[in-house]
């Protein structure tokens, strides 16, 4: 068998640990063990963050159940739950800085939320009878370990900081309870929402630098947030000090367009968590959910003075 094979021969007629990649793969196992250790739970990988969210919601809930979703959380998560409505799943939005509503079967938080950057009240959520999931994509395990704060599940878009290099599309759920992890693993194999080995190999590579990358990105983001707050064209700066995601407002959608088209170092693209600084106006995707002048900035690993010089010249056109 070649090293990329997705099946492994039986040994003297006996099925071994690995036999068919939809059920398990040594590289996936290794990446899951490494991520699980970082978050203090049992990690399972999925083909994307959204795939991880789909698998968790469908495996945990049944028709008629309701998810309490943090308002201002990643736009795609609400869109996913809308797409699942024909299967009887409902969702309601709530302010995650306070307690979740009653009579819901799953609480879905985001730490911090993308792009409004609110932080969840983890104590209030842990007191709720329903299982609690924290999408900790922006905080990463370097900034927050939600399982230690009473969460049952952590979700990561590995595509972002964990992958970090814009070359991995992958997601993960980390479970506090090993039995819940086994149930989710069985659901993953049955439904075929299984990850490929190559992205898992890239995750293992990226985890080796995660801590240094995140520390440096957070330090640079604090510096940039302070500079933005003092700039005359900038109205509001949101930066909770966790992760390197910042959002800030300029006058309107036209000002957004002028800023995002005049950066030179900072790349005008979607996504976040990359070694490359990324900037985009979110109104184009999210409409009235966000201010029309909102720009989302993910601070990368470039020299912070150079990032600021580029932003300052771009803001000159706002
Ligand atoms: N959660 C958050 C906070 C995100 O920002 C994203 C992607 O933008 C996702 C989940 C979805 O991840 P993916 O793009 O890997 O499906």
């Amino acid at each position: 068998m070649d090293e990329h094979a997705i099946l492994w021969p039986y040994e003297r007629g006996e099925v071994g640990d690995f036999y068919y990649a939809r059920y398990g793969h040594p590289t996936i196992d290794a990446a899951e063990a490494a991520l699980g250790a970082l978050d203090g739970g049992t990690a399972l990988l999925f083909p994307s963050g959204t795939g991880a969210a789909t698998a968790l919601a469908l495996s945990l809930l049944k028709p008629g159940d309701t998810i309490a979703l943090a308002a201002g959380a990643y736009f795609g998560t609400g869109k996913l739950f809308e797409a699942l409505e024909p299967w009887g799943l409902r969702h309601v939005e709530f302010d995650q800085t306070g307690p979740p509503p009653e009579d819901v079967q799953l609480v879905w938080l985001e730490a911090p939320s993308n792009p409004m950057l609110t932080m969840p009240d983890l104590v209030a959520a842990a007191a709720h009878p329903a299982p609690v999931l924290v999408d900790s994509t922006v905080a990463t395990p370097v900034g927050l370990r939600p399982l230690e704060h009473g969460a049952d599940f952590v979700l990561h878009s590995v595509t972002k900081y964990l992958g970090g290099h814009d070359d991995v599309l992958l997601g993960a759920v980390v479970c506090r309870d090993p039995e819940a992890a086994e149930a989710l693993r069985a659901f993953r194999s049955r439904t075929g929402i299984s990850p490929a080995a190559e992205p898992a190999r890239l995750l293992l590579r990226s985890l080796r630098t995660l801590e240094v990358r995140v520390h440096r990105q957070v330090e640079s983001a604090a510096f940039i947030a302070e500079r933005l707050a003092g700039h005359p064209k900038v109205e509001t700066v949101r930066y909770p000090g966790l992760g390197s995601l910042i959002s800030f407002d300029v006058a309107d959608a036209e000002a957004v367009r002028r800023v995002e088209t005049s950066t030179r170092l900072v790349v005008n693209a979607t996504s976040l968590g990359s070694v490359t600084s990324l900037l985009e106006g979110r109104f184009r995707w999210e409409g009235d959910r966000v201010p029309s002048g909102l720009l989302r900035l993910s601070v990368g690993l470039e020299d912070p003075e150079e990032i600021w010089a580029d932003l300052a010249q771009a803001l000159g056109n706002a």
Side-chain angles (χ1 to χ4, degrees):
M1 292 287 157
D2 91 42
E3 56 170 323
H4 300 296
I6 51 84
L7 54 86
W8 294 267
Y10 302 149
E11 287 170 29
R12 288 183 288 281
E14 295 295 325
V15 178
D17 288 344
F18 301 103
Y19 47 97
Y20 187 67
R22 177 156 51 78
Y23 294 94
H25 188 291
T27 308
I28 306 281
D29 265 21
E32 289 177 340
L35 181 56
L38 285 178
D39 255 325
T42 308
L44 291 168
L45 292 176
F46 294 89
S48 67
T50 308
T54 303
L56 195 271
L58 290 181
S59 70
L60 213 59
L61 301 174
K62 57 185 190 319
D65 283 351
T66 302
I67 304 165
L69 172 63
Y74 169 54
F75 178 60
T77 303
K79 287 286 167 204
L80 161 65
F81 295 154
E82 273 174 33
L84 295 179
E85 275 169 18
W87 284 269
L89 285 190
R90 298 157 220 243
H91 72 285
V92 290
E93 292 201 347
F94 78 105
D95 175 2
Q96 69 166 350
T97 64
E102 286 172 16
D103 294 330
V104 298
Q105 285 66 49
L106 178 61
V107 176
W108 198 286
L109 310 173
E110 209 169 276
S113 63
N114 161 21
M116 299 313 284
L117 295 165
T118 64
M119 278 301 287
D121 182 341
L122 294 173
V123 175
H128 194 284
V132 174
L133 176 143
V134 179
D135 180 334
S136 205
T137 295
V138 175
T140 80
V142 178
L144 182 71
R145 286 160 53 106
L147 301 184
E148 290 176 357
H149 298 270
D152 299 282
F153 302 99
V154 181
L155 185 133
H156 294 290
S157 168
V158 173
T159 316
K160 308 298 189 311
Y161 291 94
L162 297 181
H165 296 70
D166 303 326
D167 55 4
V168 181
L169 185 70
L170 200 64
V173 175
V174 189
C175 308
R176 185 148 60 99
D177 173 11
E179 278 181 29
E182 278 325 297
L184 184 58
R185 185 194 300 279
F187 186 85
R188 179 178 71 175
S189 303
R190 293 290 169 214
T191 55
I193 315 178
S194 305
E198 178 60 9
R201 187 187 69 75
L202 291 170
L203 170 60
L204 279 167
R205 168 213 60 183
S206 296
L207 288 181
R208 296 165 73 180
T209 56
L210 179 70
E211 198 172 337
V212 246
R213 281 188 284 114
V214 169
H215 282 312
R216 158 82 178 213
Q217 282 172 269
V218 169
E219 208 175 288
S220 298
F223 166 80
I224 299 290
E226 206 182 303
R227 293 290 169 104
L228 284 168
H231 194 283
K233 297 277 180 72
V234 175
E235 288 166 17
T236 308
V237 179
R238 302 172 198 84
Y239 181 61
L242 206 58
S244 78
L245 195 66
I246 299 173
S247 67
F248 60 97
D249 299 347
V250 291
D252 50 28
E254 286 75 41
V256 163
R257 177 54 64 102
R258 288 194 295 274
V259 174
E260 62 176 9
T261 53
S262 49
T263 59
R264 295 169 195 145
L265 176 70
V266 174
V267 176
N268 183 205
T270 197
S271 200
L272 55 105
S274 166
V275 295
T276 304
S277 293
L278 302 172
L279 176 79
E280 71 163 335
R282 286 301 294 174
F283 187 75
R284 64 154 65 72
W285 299 113
E286 305 195 33
D288 291 340
R289 265 172 50 103
V290 295
S292 61
L294 184 142
L295 280 154
R296 188 182 74 186
L297 171 68
S298 171
V299 177
L301 282 184
E302 306 89 342
D303 180 336
E305 294 283 0
E306 285 183 24
I307 299 172
W308 175 245
D310 189 33
L311 288 171
Q313 68 79 23
L315 281 166
N317 299 323

